[in-house]
Amino acid sequence: MALGTVVSRVTGLIRLVLQGSALGTGLVATTYNTANTVPMSLYALLIGGALNAAFVPQLVRARLEHADGGRAHEQRLLTLALCVLTVGTVAAVLAAPRIVGLYLPDSPATHQAFELAVVFARFLLPQIFFYGLSAVLGQLLNVREEFGAVTWTPVLNNLVLITLFGLYLGLLTAPHSVHDVTPAQVRLLGIGTTIGIALQALALIPYLREAGFRPRPRFDWRGVGLRKSVSSARWTLLFVLANQVALTVVTHYANAADLALPKAGVGNTAYSYAQTIWTLPQSIVTVSLVTALLPRLSRAGAEQRLDDVRAELSRALRVTGVVIVPAAFFFLLFGPQITALLFAHGVADPRPMGHMLQALALGLIPFSAQFLLLRGFYAFEDARTPFLVAVRIAAVNIALALSCHLLLPTRWAVTGMAASYGVSYGVGLLLTARRLRGRMAGRLDGKRLGRTYGKLTAAAACAGLAGSAAAHLLGPAASAPTWGPALVLVAGGAVMLVLFVLLARVLRIGELRSLPGLR
């Protein structure tokens, strides 16, 4: 599963680099990226959060308690989900201008950009249905503990997009402004992007049939136990809504920076690229682990085995920390070099993106830990507490983003918002840990977790300083425009990695043995 995730993220990174080369990080790219953000946001609001958190425990319980092994319950949930997705997708396409207006203002000065984003959105919004289909089928595979296909099918989407942006670069002239974008370019980007998501979803069907699931439309939703799923999903929907409100506000302000400086690369597109790089360790390690962990947690929670839930969460936090903590320090120290290497072509100035990556860096630690701890609540089918925590995270994030928008120069406003994102999740981690400790009879293995993360932070900080010093020893070679960033990353990264492993062994961080090749 981890291998599939790694291949998926590597091909996704290649796709991101080609996208940056084709579209840059200015206002043209922002119209496409804004429109491409909307389908995932609406999918999450319609049904995504409920599928990922509320329905998995219900499916596990149905497989344990129902005489047919939960087959009819699964068919009802699939039918209900697809009905909601179909209605939601059609409504979203019809309401595209109003939806885009939440992210990108429509004024005489920005009307051309707004109209382009709306046209992109009409092509991209059908992705809502396929995101939902992929998620439903993936969860049905997960409860059968069949994880491979879910981690490999995104590679198909990435290959489609790699081909798409390769054709764009090879056959079409890159536009310099929103006025230069042609209908052919819009059709290629819009239809091609949606085809990739559709292929990712449809490719799961053969694997699900092989796992023994037979889809059958079932509309007998009343009196069969779906009320509990819907009730739990209500809180999860509110949780997603809180996150989406914060995302919408931040995207709106980040787009404002692009509108003010349309070719500087200091707004939403640069921020989204930096955030994609920032989440790579989280996606490869934490999400993969949670995918396998959630069914086991759900079984332990259903049987009220608190010690097993506590042990699983503690181990997951400690194992993921071995990767997440040094990755955070690596981004902090080498953010500009990473973006300069990846976006050497097509992006006029990758430095603002690099500064955003640095601002995000340390926030990766609470972001990953809070993501894991929330699974403790979902194991007990408690979706209300995550919503209450999400409201506070969103409030902190919005308040800080507004402050950055009003008080910082346009060049640095979104960089400040990136730092604010990490701060908000730091607050969220403290709230989540305190509430979960109460749910777990007052014990969360806090002392052991504190010792492990303290050692990891010390080892990563010392290794990072040594890696930074090694990079500075390169002198003028580090400033070479072509191979300088690569040289810095290789030299600094190698020193940092070796020293981190040595210090982790000296500090007796046992979780290091969980990584391949370090046992």
Side-chain angles (χ1 to χ4, degrees), residues 290-302:
V290 165
T291 302
L293 179 67
L294 188 55
R296 293 205 307 270
L297 274 179
S298 298
R299 284 193 292 272

Side-chain angles (χ1 to χ4, degrees), residues 53-71 73-74 77 139 143-144 224-226 228-229 232 294-305 377-382 439:
F55 283 0
V56 169
Q58 291 291 315
L59 291 173
V60 170
R61 186 182 292 275
R63 288 177 67 83
L64 291 173
E65 298 177 354
H66 293 190
D68 64 350
R71 184 179 67 253
H73 192 74
E74 291 173 346
L77 282 176
Q139 297 298 4
V143 296
R144 290 165 169 77
V224 291
L226 285 179
K228 190 172 183 180
S229 293
S232 183
L294 188 55
R296 293 205 307 270
L297 274 179
S298 298
R299 284 193 292 272
E303 298 168 5
Q304 292 298 309
R305 291 184 278 116
F377 294 109
Y378 295 138
F380 296 107
E381 300 183 32
D382 175 8
R439 187 68 177 79

